Amino acid sequence: MDCSSFGLLFLVFMIERMRQVALFDQSSHHLNAGLGFFNACVLITSSWFVARANVFGRDGQFDAARRQLWIGMAIAAIFAVVKIFEYYVKVSAGITVKTNAFFLFYYALTGIHLVHYLGGMVILGILAQGPSPFLPEAEAKPHYLRWLEGGSLYWHMVDLLWIFIFSILYLIGAR
């Protein structure tokens, strides 16, 4: 799913929200905005370390870049723990995709985001291995830098998507 697909899903969510304002407002009260905000802070902090990895990589400091990626991933792992906890609390309370339209969107948006997050973690994990030992050094480093930059952009997009998801699910209609 690309950004335009998320954009379309956001648009459909907002149209449905306008049709059922009271239901969506009432349902959003069952979300923990504090945890959603905490997760936003986790991903923003993680993205900062990933951005630093790019700076170190461009300076040829590949060990430092790798360390920044590992730190970014360690911080980002908190996101999944919190999201799984949130899912557990919701399901334990009987709140599922079948509860109402709001929670269908909640699980769809956060679930699709979680899949992209996991893909990003895999990408960062591969990048944290450093330049390929199978390529000559003259080719490996520029090749690695291109992949580092591309992987970082993907990670920042995952972060940005969470900010949108957090805003429309946790904040609009919240008390």
Side-chain angles (χ1 to χ4, degrees):
M1 179 173 260
D2 61 11
C3 291
S4 58
S5 298
F6 264 107
L8 182 60
L9 197 52
F10 291 150
L11 178 64
V12 172
F13 172 88
M14 293 308 291
I15 290 169
E16 193 62 29
R17 186 186 189 291
M18 288 189 300
R19 292 176 56 205
Q20 301 183 63
V21 174
L23 173 75
F24 275 51
D25 286 354
Q26 179 187 17
S27 297
S28 72
H29 297 159
H30 293 283
L31 300 182
N32 186 327
L35 287 179
F37 178 71
F38 178 75
N39 261 349
C41 293
V42 163
L43 289 180
I44 290 168
T45 304
S46 171
S47 283
W48 184 72
F49 282 98
V50 171
R52 287 179 44 86
N54 276 275
V55 172
F56 284 116
R58 277 187 238 115
D59 288 343
Q61 299 177 46
F62 295 108
D63 287 340
R66 292 175 60 232
R67 276 192 299 279
Q68 296 300 303
L69 289 171
W70 285 117
I71 293 168
M73 288 175 60
I75 292 168
I78 297 167
F79 177 89
V81 171
V82 171
K83 184 51 50 198
I84 290 167
F85 172 76
E86 277 189 284
Y87 285 160
Y88 174 78
V89 168
K90 297 286 166 284
V91 172
S92 295
I95 299 172
T96 68
V97 295
K98 295 180 180 181
T99 299
N100 61 36
F102 176 86
F103 284 107
L104 174 64
F105 280 105
Y106 167 78
Y107 284 108
L109 287 167
T110 60
I112 293 168
H113 179 266
L114 190 59
V115 169
H116 284 79
Y117 157 89
L118 293 171
M121 290 290 275
V122 168
I123 290 168
L124 294 180
I126 292 168
L127 292 170
Q129 304 305 309
S132 173
F134 304 110
L135 293 174
E137 189 172 330
E139 289 178 41
K141 290 181 179 180
H143 180 77
Y144 176 72
L145 289 174
R146 283 191 301 275
W147 280 97
L148 178 60
E149 189 173 277
S152 297
L153 287 172
Y154 178 86
W155 187 251
H156 298 318
M157 187 54 62
V158 168
D159 186 2
L160 182 61
L161 284 170
W162 179 253
I163 292 170
F164 280 104
I165 292 168
F166 168 65
S167 299
I168 68 171
L169 291 176
Y170 293 78
L171 298 181
I172 297 176
R175 292 181 211 180

